[in-house]
Amino acid sequence: MQTGFWWIILSIGIYAVIHSLLASHAAKRWVENRVGSGIYQRYYRLFFSLQAFILFLPILALIVLLPDLRIYRIPRPWVWLTIFIQLGALYLLINSIFQTGALRFTGFAQAFNINEATRSLPLVERGMYRFVRHPIYSCMFVIMWLMPIMSWNILAIAIGVSVYNVIGARLEERKLSQEFGQEYITYKKKTPFLIPWFKLSK
């Protein structure tokens, strides 16, 4: 295969390992013990967001720099429909981030306000969170899988990010269950995982 498919898959795998390690409780406790709880509470989330952004840039560069082959192109007029759906998903993604606190989500709120670093947030169940537990990931899936032009390199990043998002969402739910207890367990029972109105029967 004369593409960068497997190199991109490998790079996403390495990224996922680093990202998961830095998000783990063990890594957070290690950092907190080394720098102190004050510095950790104020700056770790910002550090986590910045490193996630910076480390993802080389993966995006691989899509452009490595050889690639086109799989398909969505023809007109259907391409306008897919772009419209993508823009809607992008809007819902940004809206979902703001519902959980955009500045807090990225870590800027904690870095510039110590009260934000220690303040507990309520469980968000409004907006898109009424329909799925992880709307940010759901919207990312829509954007990635409705690309007007699909190539092997784009397919690689779509597969890699999708798989990691599902795994990451499951790991995130363990933390949320510990943080919110029965409140999150109840929310989890009544709200679908990633697809609105679709719940796996147990």
Side-chain angles (χ1 to χ4, degrees), residues 63-181:
I63 298 175
V64 178
L65 298 176
L66 292 177
D68 198 7
L69 292 173
R70 192 172 74 190
I71 301 173
Y72 64 79
R73 179 196 294 268
I74 300 176
R76 296 178 182 177
W78 305 111
V79 66
W80 302 118
L81 175 61
T82 58
I83 291 174
F84 177 77
I85 295 173
Q86 283 182 307
L87 290 174
L90 179 61
Y91 168 79
L92 293 174
L93 186 153
I94 295 172
N95 184 259
S96 297
I97 292 175
F98 272 92
Q99 282 185 311
T100 56
L103 292 178
R104 188 180 176 95
F105 181 85
T106 55
F108 283 97
Q110 297 92 312
F112 293 102
N113 187 345
I114 186 60
N115 294 326
E116 281 294 323
T118 56
R119 182 170 67 92
S120 297
L121 293 179
L123 178 64
V124 178
E125 298 185 52
R126 64 185 187 278
M128 279 296 293
Y129 289 91
R130 292 179 297 167
F131 304 104
V132 288
R133 304 197 296 271
H134 303 278
I136 295 173
Y137 297 150
S138 299
C139 292
M140 288 176 63
F141 293 150
V142 173
I143 294 170
M144 288 187 298
W145 289 102
L146 285 182
M147 294 298 291
I149 299 175
M150 181 61 72
S151 69
W152 284 103
N153 288 1
I154 296 174
L155 179 63
I157 198 168
I159 292 173
V161 172
S162 296
V163 170
Y164 180 60
N165 279 350
V166 172
I167 296 173
R170 291 297 187 189
L171 295 174
E172 184 179 334
E173 291 200 328
R174 293 182 184 178
K175 299 177 185 177
L176 292 171
S177 296
Q178 294 174 355
E179 182 178 353
F180 293 102

